[in-house]
Amino acid sequence: MKQEPPSLPRAEGFHQVVLRFAPNPDGPLTLGNARPAVLCDYYAKRMNGKLILRFEDTSPSVKPPLKEAYDWIIEDLEWLGIHPDEIHYQSNRLQTYYDYAEKFIERGFAYVCLCKPEEFRRFEKKGEPCPHRDQDPDLGLSLWEKMLNGGLNPGEAVVRVKTDMKHPNPAVRDWPALRIDVANHPRVAGFRVWPLYNWSCAIDDHEMRVSHVIRGKEHLTNEVRQSYVFKYLGSPPPVSIHIGRVRLEGSVLSKSRIMRGLAEGAYTGLDDPRLGTLKALRRRGFKPEVVRRVVLEMGLNIAESTVKWENLYAYNREAVDWEAERYYFVKNPFTMIVRSVPQQVEARLPRHPSRPELGSRIIVLKTSDGEARLFVSPEDVENLAPGSRLRLMSLFNVEVEDVDPHSKTVKAFFKGLEVPEKSSGVKLIQWVLPSDAVETRVVMPDASLTEGLGESPLTQLNPGRIIQLVRFGFCRVEAVSKNVVNLVFSHP
RNA sequence: GCUCCGAUGGUGUAGCCCGGUCAAGCAUACGAGCCUCUCGAGCUCGGGGCCCGGGUUCAAAUCCCGGUCGGAGCACCA
């Protein structure tokens, strides 16, 4: 980091800074989720505090949690270098939410509302109490009992927290805290009352002694709603920091859209390169520190911001250039036939142009009757006029005689070994020998496949390695076999 | 419609709370040059910005008001 993120606001006077990242396990983490996650982790570490991961899985029917998503999230966080000190599942804590609800009803801080949603909305709009607001706590408790034991059905009753029916923001007026939901939950069974976000969140932040909440600005009014709970609890609310939403240029970051697209078969998986999931970024060879860097650069700004791929590319290039060995790859190969080649030519291909200590590969070009064949990329030769010169990198120079796109053949003749002067303007191109060629497929950012031939040493690379295909781009090794190399394109 | 936010070069930010040291810093992108057997990396230099209009003040990117544009919320979602 060239620039430190700002210090955590109002962090003085806390015994320990406690932050929580609280995702809904209904999909994979995206770059959008990475923002609060990384910030929470960053400040927890910087302040010697504690980081809590809390799964907010309390909406069995509207936002059904996905059993697999819990692990996805933990894995994605681990990839980012985030290891929470504690992990909580709200679905394990229902009794706690019930206990508080009962207390609130008992003390008249909350009531069981039997209004139909539309009915209540009318009172809310007018700023007037509904008939249930002033119910006797004993009646409230017996209704609450009926919510729990089945005497009331979904939609018939809801527990509301008393706020202020004249609050300027109608959304704050007596908001619902718990409702009946009988849908199945992937983790627990036998519960029919579930807390709503503002209830479970406020109770948990209170119980877990959360000192600072970093969350998206879509929660701005939730902070106001939850402030009433803290008021009734007689404890100060956590410091709330709202950050802007993140957009990733040209990518889908919405979990629901991702899951829908996946169900419709629009994507190849959670790590489809078109998606803004952390899994996709990882698959494309982005280093976690790159994600952390862009997030930390945005800091605690509440203004929304758009991440540009070119920034991600630049940071990742910086992160991987040193480790990325260089290999030759020609896509949609054309065959070049070179005449008048000396008996035997050796090419020495350095593994890394800036790291001679890594050594080089020696490739021996054999000729028959002074003729040599090798593969080159059509885009390097397609429009060349006869007489054009080319430098086959690390090998020799040729002069092109004829290019035939139909037979995908280029005829050329040997034109010396010396590296041409830069001023000559001779283009340097990569090549692959037929005897050394292996089928190589690269998944591109738009999920299309680029196919061609690569050098055989590619088959020796372990999955996960980042390499650079010279004059093509950085790629991550996905899988290799004896005959096929599968790569994922990172960036130029 | 109602409630609430935000606005610094192409992009992301620093500065704004506590007005002068800001003729606005950094990163990335862009341009030029050097270097390099890659369209990669490195090095040097360069152009580019305080949304608009008023006000307060000796002094405003910073404070106030209005406007414009952008965003969020107004779910028995999180």
Side-chain angles (χ1 to χ4, degrees):
Chain A
M1 286 302 292
K2 308 275 185 217
Q3 228 153 357
E4 280 286 295
S7 51
L8 190 65
R10 291 188 282 149
E12 319 73 33
F14 284 99
H15 212 60
Q16 182 187 32
V17 164
V18 179
L19 296 113
R20 90 300 197 276
F21 175 60
N24 180 332
D26 62 349
L29 254 32
T30 65
L31 185 66
N33 304 112
R35 164 110 105 142
V38 167
L39 286 168
C40 285
D41 178 65
Y42 170 79
Y43 285 108
K45 284 173 180 153
R46 173 163 159 183
M47 307 300 291
N48 268 314
K50 183 162 81 173
L51 177 68
I52 292 172
L53 168 62
R54 191 170 75 210
F55 288 108
E56 306 211 317
D57 53 351
T58 61
S59 183
S61 59
V62 178
K63 280 201 176 166
L66 263 176
K67 201 164 179 53
E68 317 84 87
Y70 295 87
D71 287 335
W72 294 345
I73 289 170
I74 291 173
E75 283 164 23
D76 288 343
L77 290 177
E78 250 165 43
W79 178 68
L80 284 174
I82 299 174
H83 310 284
D85 297 296
E86 292 173 16
I87 301 183
H88 296 283
Y89 299 80
Q90 289 193 325
S91 49
N92 282 355
R93 300 172 49 76
L94 296 184
Q95 192 55 51
T96 305
Y97 309 130
Y98 295 171
D99 293 345
Y100 277 93
E102 198 177 307
K103 258 177 240 163
F104 268 53
I105 295 168
E106 219 169 65
R107 298 186 194 165
F109 302 154
Y111 57 97
V112 176
C113 176
L114 302 175
C115 293
K116 295 269 168 287
E118 320 80 64
E119 282 169 12
F120 185 81
R121 218 163 293 141
R122 276 198 294 276
F123 291 110
E124 181 186 291
K125 209 170 173 180
K126 283 187 290 187
E128 285 169 11
C130 84
H132 313 282
R133 194 177 209 259
D134 291 317
Q135 80 194 163
D136 188 86
D138 287 335
L139 173 61
L141 286 171
S142 74
L143 288 169
W144 166 240
E145 209 48 50
K146 284 174 86 173
M147 285 177 72
L148 289 171
N149 66 25
L152 284 163
N153 292 314
E156 290 180 349
V158 69
V159 176
R160 292 189 184 281
V161 171
K162 277 188 202 169
T163 63
D164 174 0
M165 290 308 287
K166 296 253 186 276
H167 193 282
N169 186 350
V172 173
R173 297 172 191 168
D174 285 19
W175 47 269
L178 302 103
R179 78 337 199 155
I180 302 166
D181 188 342
V182 294
N184 286 329
H185 191 281
R187 292 193 70 254
V188 295
F191 296 95
R192 62 190 322 273
V193 174
W194 290 85
L196 285 146
Y197 173 76
N198 284 292
W199 185 251
S200 46
C201 181
I203 298 301
D204 280 350
D205 285 345
H206 173 251
E207 285 246 314
M208 297 173 188
R209 304 276 179 272
V210 171
S211 68
H212 290 72
V213 173
I214 299 176
R215 60 181 159 199
K217 66 170 172 179
E218 66 271 20
H219 290 293
L220 235 19
T221 49
N222 289 329
E223 183 198 357
V224 183
R225 288 184 175 122
Q226 293 175 27
S227 68
Y228 286 86
V229 177
F230 288 95
K231 199 186 78 192
Y232 290 133
L233 255 16
S235 82
V239 177
S240 242
I241 300 155
H242 293 98
I243 55 180
R245 309 265 263 176
V246 180
R247 281 187 294 246
L248 176 57
E249 195 185 31
S251 282
V252 182
L253 287 189
S254 145
K255 266 195 286 184
S256 54
R257 275 183 63 195
I258 288 170
M259 297 311 286
R260 202 188 321 134
L262 225 38
E264 290 166 357
Y267 303 116
T268 57
L270 295 170
D271 58 2
D272 186 298
R274 287 164 292 187
L275 297 175
T277 59
L278 296 181
K279 290 182 192 307
L281 292 174
R282 173 171 44 190
R283 181 173 177 224
R284 285 185 59 177
F286 286 94
K287 295 289 185 182
E289 61 262 34
V290 169
V291 175
R292 290 186 72 102
R293 181 172 169 187
V294 295
V295 165
L296 260 16
E297 255 178 14
M298 293 187 282
L300 298 176
N301 221 305
I302 191 169
E304 61 278 2
S305 46
T306 305
V307 173
K308 299 274 259 185
W309 282 106
E310 62 183 16
N311 281 51
L312 250 14
Y313 292 172
Y315 296 166
N316 204 55
R317 235 180 261 129
E318 194 178 305
V320 303
D321 185 69
W322 190 249
E323 67 169 84
E325 291 189 350
R326 269 55 173 179
Y327 292 92
Y328 287 173
F329 162 77
V330 294
K331 65 175 183 185
N332 313 318
F334 271 29
T335 301
M336 178 179 270
I337 303 166
V338 192
R339 296 191 286 111
S340 318
V341 182
Q343 273 302 13
Q344 185 172 319
V345 186
E346 262 188 20
R348 185 178 289 269
L349 314 186
R351 291 206 168 79
H352 195 294
S354 315
R355 300 179 67 191
E357 76 277 11
L358 292 180
S360 41
R361 302 183 297 285
I362 311 275
I363 295 187
V364 179
L365 173 75
K366 297 210 170 59
T367 59
S368 75
D369 298 330
E371 207 174 84
R373 285 169 184 255
L374 29 75
F375 295 119
V376 295
S377 286
E379 44 190 54
D380 288 330
V381 295
E382 228 159 15
N383 299 313
L384 290 182
S388 308
R389 299 211 182 163
L390 287 172
R391 165 72 177 176
L392 301 171
M393 290 173 65
S394 297
L395 191 63
F396 51 58
N397 311 315
V398 297
E399 184 172 315
V400 173
E401 291 178 291
D402 177 57
V403 181
D404 179 12
H406 300 292
S407 63
K408 301 188 173 183
T409 314
V410 185
K411 289 191 178 129
F413 60 87
F414 179 83
K415 200 69 184 174
L417 292 167
E418 292 306 304
V419 180
E421 290 297 318
K422 229 192 72 160
S423 56
S424 69
V426 172
K427 190 152 79 166
L428 301 130
I429 68 168
Q430 78 284 12
W431 46 273
V432 174
L433 290 189
S435 58
D436 190 44
V438 57
E439 190 180 338
T440 301
R441 302 175 183 152
V442 187
V443 176
M444 302 305 287
D446 64 357
S448 69
L449 209 57
T450 292
E451 295 179 273
L453 296 170
E455 298 179 62
S456 65
L458 285 168
T459 61
Q460 305 304 310
L461 297 172
N462 291 329
R465 268 296 275 285
I466 309 292
I467 56 162
Q468 190 205 43
L469 298 180
V470 173
R471 300 208 315 131
F472 182 76
F474 290 88
C475 297
R476 180 177 152 277
V477 178
E478 183 147 70
V480 298
S481 69
K482 242 180 86 183
N483 311 313
V484 184
V485 175
N486 288 294
L487 306 173
V488 184
F489 189 81
S490 299
H491 45 76

